[in-house]
């Protein structure tokens, strides 16, 4: 009996000793973050609570939004930094394909945004886009945020080992991503069907991992975690009455693997299950960020004592990770580009605006990547910044994955008082004749049939070549200065063909020279010249041969409802030759001689826009033009009046007057406009413009005398179809009130 008691006591001592030793073990904690879109904001709040409790995270695994938050935490951001990052991300804009306007090429800025719908053409068949967004904006954001670990290709070597889950779209199987580009991996894990396009990695076409494993607890356990903490923002399946959008339907399908009929989820490998109440939120509830954060905080604090207990058995502190100093300047020793098959190295470097021996910082590098992304010619841009062996010198390597060369059909709609109803059909294709080229054809159907053809070889910051052909024109009931006729029905047609060379600096400044063949036809059936054999009277019906040059500067932040930036455009045109047809009538009395004499003109405009307190915008602009040499043939004069963005070169909008109501061979005009954003994308405005328009204005002494002025009150909505605008305008010079209406992108 005595021996038995001795053996029992020895066993108890050994067991207690083993237990104490186990308690002294440095526990390794794994963190699992589920997918859930905007509901994933709760992950950040939960991580804050973990940090407050002193828990050190040793492994992280996530899916979709959980992968995004998890990857950033694994790369060295703390919860406070994550909160700040996501607070400043405009998720609605980032989910769309629109990159900052500053990233667009000068050609794209000049052509402007005018298409509401884009349909790809593949194998001679018109299809539908694979998703609302290509996801390039999202990838660029992730690349920027993970810049400090961009050369880490094994996720186990991140400050915190990490993995994420995606779904193979071909097989429907789970793909666990542990290596490669971190930014690309989390972009694939979050490729929510219909919202973001799939991502190709190592030959696999990947989409959102939530389809197969939205809460990868087992995968994190396999990484070596002793304790697994899970933050689960899923909220079960919706009832049929709540399935009222494509996003909710896809979310429901994603939830089948967790909550489908006959399925029961067991969390036997989960030690702490943090589950915020997400009943009133869905994957796109980005506007409810603060509420979701609060729910995450509440749910995590329920487990505070358990979290503190876990932390008490951890003896190693978290590592501090130094983030990228975006201001650090380094010299580019070498640039290596892989994957550019259909685009020249010169083209790629031109878009990046980076060359050997350049001194740049990381801001410049990321701006260059945005510029290259904005071409939409590359669906994947990976890069390395490696030490060259010399102090403050780096080697850059870019791995490019080209987008499939595709033709696209683009559609747009528009209405305004001058051009009336228009439907735009566009066909755009690339690499037609040579690398880097683009061909685009616009055909406008409606009350005024028009077309625009562009062929452009884009060599970036080197000299580029272009050819443009355009038929533009309108019919309008126009005021006429005559004692007997107050209005005439004017038909105005302009057919222009241009060959030009262009070079750009800093993406904002462009120089160009070219030659032009133009035909102008302007006629009316209201007035008939006595003895005429035709039922039309022509103000002009001539071909003109012109040479021209231009300089343009553009830093506007957006195409419509501009908030900040400068814009400047100046042009010189030399009218060298005209066919001999003379006018039957002049549009205005007392005009210069109708006989053509070679002449030239200079005209231009500058504008500055600045927004105060994010809501109040002030825009001021001044423009002018002057004819040089002989008196100008009347149809080549400058015309003021009306409102619009796509008038012909000699027409300038002017509030308070109708299109072309004011005309002379020289003018000076200034405009001040106040714009207020009363709600998101809703604007009200007040504008005043003044002008001095007279023949030989700059030869006199009263250049700054105001001869005409006008005012306008406006309302505008920035919609997916383009700007929707209504303006009421008037002038103290007359008693007429004029309404301007615009619906849709200008084209």
């Amino acid at each position: 009996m005595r021996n038995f008691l001795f053996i029992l006591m020895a066993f108890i001592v050994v067991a207690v000793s083993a237990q104490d030793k186990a308690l002294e073990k440095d526990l390794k904690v794994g963190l699992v973050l589920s997918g859930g879109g905007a509901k994933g904001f709760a992950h950040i709040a939960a991580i804050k609570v973990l940090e407050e409790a002193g828990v050190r995270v040793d492994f992280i695994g996530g899916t979709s939004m959980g992968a995004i938050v998890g990857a950033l935490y694994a790369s060295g951001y703390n919860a406070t930094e994550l909160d700040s990052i996501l607070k400043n991300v405009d998720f609605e804009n980032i989910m769309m394909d629109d990159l900052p306007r500053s990233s667009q090429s000068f050609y794209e800025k000049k052509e402007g945004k005018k298409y509401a719908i884009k349909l790809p053409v593949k194998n001679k068949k018109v299809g539908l886009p694979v998703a609302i967004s290509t996801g390039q904006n999202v990838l660029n954001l992730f690349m920027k945020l993970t810049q400090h670990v961009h050369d880490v290709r094994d996720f186990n070597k991140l400050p915190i080992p990490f993995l994420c889950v995606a779904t193979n779209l071909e097989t429907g199987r789970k793909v666990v991503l542990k290596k490669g580009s971190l930014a690309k991996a989390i972009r694939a894990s979050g490729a929510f069907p219909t919202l973001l396009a799939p991502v190709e990695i190592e030959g696999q076409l990947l989409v959102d991992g939530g389809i197969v494993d939205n809460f990868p607890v087992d995968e994190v356990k396999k990484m070596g975690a002793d304790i697994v903490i899970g933050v689960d923002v899923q909220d079960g399946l919706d009832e049929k009455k709540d399935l009222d959008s494509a996003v909710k339907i896809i979310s429901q399908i994603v939830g089948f693997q967790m909550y489908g009929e006959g399925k029961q989820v067991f969390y036997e490998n989960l030690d702490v299950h943090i589950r915020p109440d997400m009943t009133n939120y869905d994957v796109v509830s980005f506007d409810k960020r603060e509420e979701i954060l609060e729910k995450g905080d509440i749910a995590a604090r329920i487990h505070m004592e358990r979290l503190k207990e876990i932390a008490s058995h951890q003896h190693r502190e978290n590592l501090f990770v130094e983030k990228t100093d975006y201001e650090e300047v380094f010299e580019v020793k070498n640039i290596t580009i892989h994957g550019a098959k259909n685009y020249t190295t010169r083209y790629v470097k031109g878009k990046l605006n980076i060359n050997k021996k350049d001194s740049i910082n990381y801001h410049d590098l990321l701006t260059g990547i945005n510029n290259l992304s904005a071409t939409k010619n590359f669906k994947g841009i990976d890069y390395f910044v490696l030490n060259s062996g010399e102090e403050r010198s780096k080697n850059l390597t870019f791995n490019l994955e080209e987008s499939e060369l595709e033709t696209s059909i683009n559609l747009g709609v528009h209405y305004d008082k001058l051009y009336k109803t228009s439907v735009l059909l566009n066909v755009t294709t690339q690499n037609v004749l040579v690398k880097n080229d683009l061909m685009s054809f616009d055909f406008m159907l409606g009350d005024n049939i028009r077309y625009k053809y562009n062929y452009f070889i884009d060599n970036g910051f080197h000299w580029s070549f272009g050819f443009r052909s355009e038929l533009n024109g309108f019919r309008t009931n126009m005021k006429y200065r005559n004692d007997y006729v107050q209005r005439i029905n004017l038909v105005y047609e302009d057919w222009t063909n241009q060959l030009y060379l262009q070079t750009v600096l800093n993406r904002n400044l462009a120089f160009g020279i070219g030659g032009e063949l133009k035909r102008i036809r302007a006629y009316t059936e209201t007035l008939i010249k006595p003895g005429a054999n035709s039922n039309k009277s022509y103000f002009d019906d001539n071909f003109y041969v012109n040479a021209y040059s231009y300089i343009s500067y553009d830093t506007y932040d957006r195409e419509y409802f501009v908030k900040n930036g400068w814009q400047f455009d100046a042009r010189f045109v030399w009218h060298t030759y005209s066919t001999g047809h003379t006018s039957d009538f002049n549009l205005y009395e007392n005009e210069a001689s109708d006989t053509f004499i070679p002449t030239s003109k200079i005209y231009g405009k500058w504008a500055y826009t600045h927004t105060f307190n994010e809501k109040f915008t002030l825009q001021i602009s001044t423009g002018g033009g002057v004819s040089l040499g002989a008196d100008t043939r009347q149809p080549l004069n400058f015309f003021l009046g009306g409102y619009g963005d796509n008038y012909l070169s000699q027409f300038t909008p002017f509030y308070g007057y109708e299109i072309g109501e004011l005309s002379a061979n020289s003018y000076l005009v200034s405009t001040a406009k106040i714009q207020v954003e009363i709600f998101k994308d809703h604007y009200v405005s007040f504008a005043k413009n003044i002008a001095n328009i007279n023949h030989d204005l700059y030869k006199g002494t009263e250049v700054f005398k105001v001869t005409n002025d006008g005012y306008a009150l406006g309302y505008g909505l920035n919609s997916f179809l383009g700007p929707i605008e209504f303006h009421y305008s008037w002038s103290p010079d007359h008693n007429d009130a004029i309404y301007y209406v615009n619906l849709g992108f200008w084209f």
Side-chain angles (χ1 to χ4, degrees):
M1 185 66 179
R2 182 179 297 175
N3 291 337
F4 174 78
L5 291 174
F6 178 81
I7 293 172
L8 179 62
M9 290 179 66
F11 178 82
I12 292 173
V13 169
V14 171
V16 170
S17 176
Q19 183 179 14
D20 290 340
K21 187 175 181 179
L23 290 174
E24 292 174 0
K25 178 184 177 181
D26 183 24
L27 291 180
K28 294 187 179 297
V29 173
L31 177 63
V32 186
L33 305 176
S34 76
K39 294 181 289 185
F41 286 139
H43 294 320
I44 299 172
I47 291 172
K48 275 188 177 181
V49 174
L50 263 64
E51 290 182 345
E52 183 181 332
V55 174
R56 184 197 72 235
V57 176
D58 300 285
F59 308 100
I60 301 179
T63 300
S64 196
M65 188 63 158
I68 296 167
V69 175
L72 296 180
Y73 194 61
S75 71
Y77 291 100
N78 60 39
T80 301
E81 290 171 327
L82 289 177
D83 188 27
S84 177
I85 289 169
L86 295 183
K87 180 180 180 180
N88 291 301
V89 172
D90 186 337
F91 283 93
E92 289 186 16
N93 285 338
I94 207 71
M95 291 290 288
M96 304 311 292
D97 286 333
D98 292 337
L99 285 159
R101 190 168 182 269
S102 59
S103 298
Q104 295 179 356
S105 69
F106 213 92
Y107 172 86
E108 292 167 325
K109 288 181 180 180
K110 188 175 181 179
E111 288 303 306
K113 186 174 181 179
K114 51 190 175 182
Y115 311 126
I117 299 174
K118 179 177 181 178
L119 302 174
V121 178
K122 294 183 180 180
N123 300 321
K124 300 181 180 180
K125 294 181 180 179
V126 179
L128 293 174
V130 296
I132 294 174
S133 170
T134 64
Q136 190 64 61
N137 268 1
V138 178
L139 180 61
N140 290 349
L141 174 65
F142 295 161
M143 288 171 63
K144 177 179 179 179
L145 295 175
T146 59
Q147 170 69 45
H148 58 291
V149 292
H150 79 280
D151 56 344
V152 177
R153 298 288 149 163
D154 182 349
F155 301 165
N156 281 320
K157 295 181 180 179
L158 289 168
I160 302 175
F162 169 78
L163 63 79
C164 62
V165 174
T167 303
N168 187 314
L169 194 56
E170 284 187 289
T171 65
R173 294 177 181 172
K174 177 167 69 175
V175 177
V176 180
L177 299 171
K178 300 179 181 179
K179 294 182 178 181
S181 165
L182 181 62
K184 200 170 183 180
I186 58 178
R187 161 70 180 86
S189 182
F192 194 85
T194 73
L195 287 184
L196 291 173
V199 177
E200 186 173 339
I201 296 179
E202 295 183 354
Q204 301 178 98
L205 195 62
L206 305 180
V207 293
D208 198 299
I211 298 172
V212 289
D213 190 355
N214 206 32
F215 199 38
V217 177
D218 291 343
E219 299 297 338
V220 173
K221 188 72 175 177
K222 293 176 186 176
M223 296 176 78
D226 302 308
I227 298 290
V228 180
I229 300 170
V231 185
D232 181 6
V233 296
Q234 304 163 110
D235 56 353
L237 299 176
D238 288 330
E239 298 179 5
K240 64 180 180 180
K241 63 181 178 63
D242 297 320
L243 297 173
D244 53 4
S245 70
V247 171
K248 288 185 178 180
I249 291 172
I250 298 297
S251 296
Q252 186 86 340
I253 295 171
V254 169
F256 286 163
Q257 59 89 20
M258 292 292 292
Y259 302 106
E261 184 178 352
K263 295 182 181 180
Q264 185 177 6
V265 180
F266 295 94
Y267 296 100
E268 63 271 13
N269 289 328
L270 200 60
D271 297 280
V272 179
H273 186 194
I274 300 172
R275 192 172 183 187
D277 180 8
M278 295 286 107
T279 304
N280 298 319
Y281 312 101
D282 57 39
V283 296
V284 291
S285 297
F286 295 108
D287 58 330
K288 298 179 180 179
R289 171 183 167 276
E290 295 300 328
E291 296 177 25
I292 294 172
L293 285 168
E294 184 179 358
K295 294 291 185 181
D297 181 79
I298 293 171
R301 289 190 181 280
I302 294 173
H303 304 276
M304 179 61 86
E305 293 305 316
R306 175 68 174 131
L307 296 174
K308 288 182 177 180
E309 180 188 354
I310 293 170
S312 69
H313 299 299
Q314 293 184 296
H315 312 304
R316 181 173 55 81
E317 303 239 346
N318 284 321
L319 295 174
F320 171 76
V321 178
E322 186 174 355
K323 312 302 187 304
T324 300
D325 177 7
Y326 293 103
E327 305 300 332
E328 179 190 350
V329 177
F330 58 88
E331 182 183 271
V332 178
K333 184 174 182 180
N334 286 301
I335 302 176
T336 305
I337 298 171
H338 300 293
K341 300 176 182 178
N342 294 296
Y343 303 93
T344 63
T345 299
R346 184 171 66 172
Y347 172 84
V348 175
K349 289 182 179 179
K351 294 300 178 184
L352 290 168
N353 194 22
I354 299 173
N355 282 297
K356 289 174 62 175
K357 304 302 180 182
D358 283 353
S359 292
I360 66 171
N361 59 26
Y362 284 94
H363 281 301
D364 300 327
L365 174 60
L366 295 171
T367 298
I369 291 171
N370 271 346
N371 297 342
L372 192 59
S373 298
T375 66
K376 297 182 173 56
N377 295 328
F378 303 92
K379 60 183 178 182
I381 303 172
D382 204 3
Y383 64 95
F384 297 91
V385 181
L386 304 173
N387 291 324
S388 68
E390 299 178 8
E391 187 177 359
R392 304 181 69 81
S393 176
K394 308 283 186 181
N395 291 328
L396 301 182
T397 299
F398 296 90
N399 297 319
L400 308 179
E401 185 181 356
E402 293 183 353
S403 301
E404 294 180 12
L405 292 177
E406 65 174 30
T407 298
S408 64
I409 293 178
N410 307 292
L411 305 173
V413 293
H414 180 82
Y415 172 83
D416 68 81
K417 287 184 66 177
L418 180 64
Y419 288 93
K420 309 299 182 184
T421 303
S422 300
V423 176
L424 170 63
L425 173 64
N426 166 269
V427 178
T428 299
T429 189
Q430 295 173 286
N431 291 23
V432 181
L433 300 177
V434 297
K435 292 182 178 182
N436 311 342
D437 74 359
L438 178 146
M439 186 170 67
S440 174
F441 182 77
D442 292 340
F443 185 57
M444 298 82 151
L445 293 168
D447 294 283
N448 294 277
I449 295 177
R450 297 169 284 150
Y451 82 81
K452 189 174 195 178
Y453 173 84
N454 267 305
Y455 178 77
F456 189 66
I457 301 174
D458 190 348
N459 291 317
F461 294 93
H462 302 275
W463 282 100
S464 300
F465 167 81
F467 170 72
R468 182 186 300 113
S469 178
E470 179 177 7
L471 175 64
N472 198 348
F474 53 82
R475 298 170 181 264
T476 185
N477 189 25
M478 183 178 180
K479 284 187 176 181
Y480 186 68
R481 297 178 184 176
N482 185 283
D483 294 336
Y484 307 102
V485 178
Q486 294 184 344
R487 287 184 175 273
I488 60 171
N489 183 17
L490 175 69
V491 178
Y492 194 98
E493 297 174 355
D494 183 306
W495 182 53
T496 299
N497 303 274
Q498 297 175 330
L499 281 170
Y500 63 96
L501 293 173
Q502 175 179 286
T503 187
V504 296
L505 299 173
N506 301 322
R507 307 191 70 80
N508 298 322
L509 182 63
F511 302 89
I513 56 173
E516 176 181 80
L517 172 65
K518 179 189 288 284
R519 185 188 185 186
I520 296 177
R521 295 179 75 232
Y523 64 86
T524 183
E525 296 178 350
T526 307
L527 299 173
I528 304 298
K529 191 173 183 178
N533 296 323
S534 172
N535 61 352
K536 299 176 182 177
S537 292
Y538 285 89
F539 302 106
D540 195 14
D541 185 11
N542 288 281
F543 285 92
Y544 296 90
V545 177
N546 308 320
Y548 70 95
S549 62
Y550 60 88
I551 176 173
S552 295
Y553 180 75
D554 189 344
T555 64
Y556 270 4
D557 61 343
R558 54 175 71 180
E559 187 77 21
Y560 303 102
F561 305 109
V562 179
K563 288 200 169 184
N564 290 288
W566 293 83
Q567 197 173 69
F568 171 77
D569 187 84
R571 293 177 179 265
F572 170 80
V573 180
W574 181 28
H575 302 287
T576 63
Y577 171 79
S578 169
T579 51
H581 182 275
T582 57
S583 301
D584 297 319
F585 289 99
N586 279 329
L587 280 174
Y588 304 105
E589 296 177 351
N590 301 320
E591 292 288 351
S593 169
D594 186 59
T595 302
F596 177 79
I597 300 175
T599 187
S600 58
K601 59 186 178 185
I602 299 175
Y603 59 97
K605 173 186 175 182
W606 74 266
Y608 172 69
T609 304
H610 185 73
T611 296
F612 304 87
N613 300 323
E614 298 184 358
K615 296 292 183 182
F616 295 87
T617 300
L618 172 65
Q619 182 179 79
I620 54 175
S621 64
T622 294
V626 58
S627 297
L628 304 174
D631 290 337
T632 305
R633 177 179 283 191
Q634 193 270 339
L636 299 180
N637 277 347
F638 300 105
F639 297 87
L640 269 61
Y643 174 78
D645 280 1
N646 60 342
Y647 288 167
L648 301 159
S649 58
Q650 62 265 40
F651 286 81
T652 299
F654 191 76
Y655 293 117
Y657 286 82
E658 296 181 10
I659 173 73
E661 189 174 344
L662 305 174
S663 176
N665 67 6
S666 54
Y667 75 99
L668 182 65
V669 62
S670 295
T671 304
K673 181 178 180 180
I674 298 173
Q675 174 183 283
V676 182
E677 187 174 13
I678 52 175
F679 306 108
K680 181 175 176 56
D681 292 328
H682 291 258
Y683 302 86
V684 294
S685 62
F686 172 75
K688 174 180 173 61
N689 48 205
I690 56 176
N692 187 350
I693 178 165
N694 269 303
H695 287 294
D696 302 324
L697 172 65
Y698 295 94
K699 294 180 180 179
T701 59
E702 297 182 336
V703 175
F704 299 105
K705 177 182 178 181
V706 176
T707 59
N708 305 90
D709 65 352
Y711 301 83
L713 289 172
Y715 162 78
L717 168 65
N718 196 16
S719 75
F720 79 97
L721 290 174
I724 298 174
E725 298 175 287
F726 303 91
H727 286 91
Y728 168 75
S729 73
W730 70 97
S731 172
D733 305 331
H734 54 74
N735 297 322
D736 298 332
I738 301 172
Y739 296 89
Y740 307 125
V741 180
N742 166 57
L743 306 175
F745 294 120
W746 287 95
F747 51 76

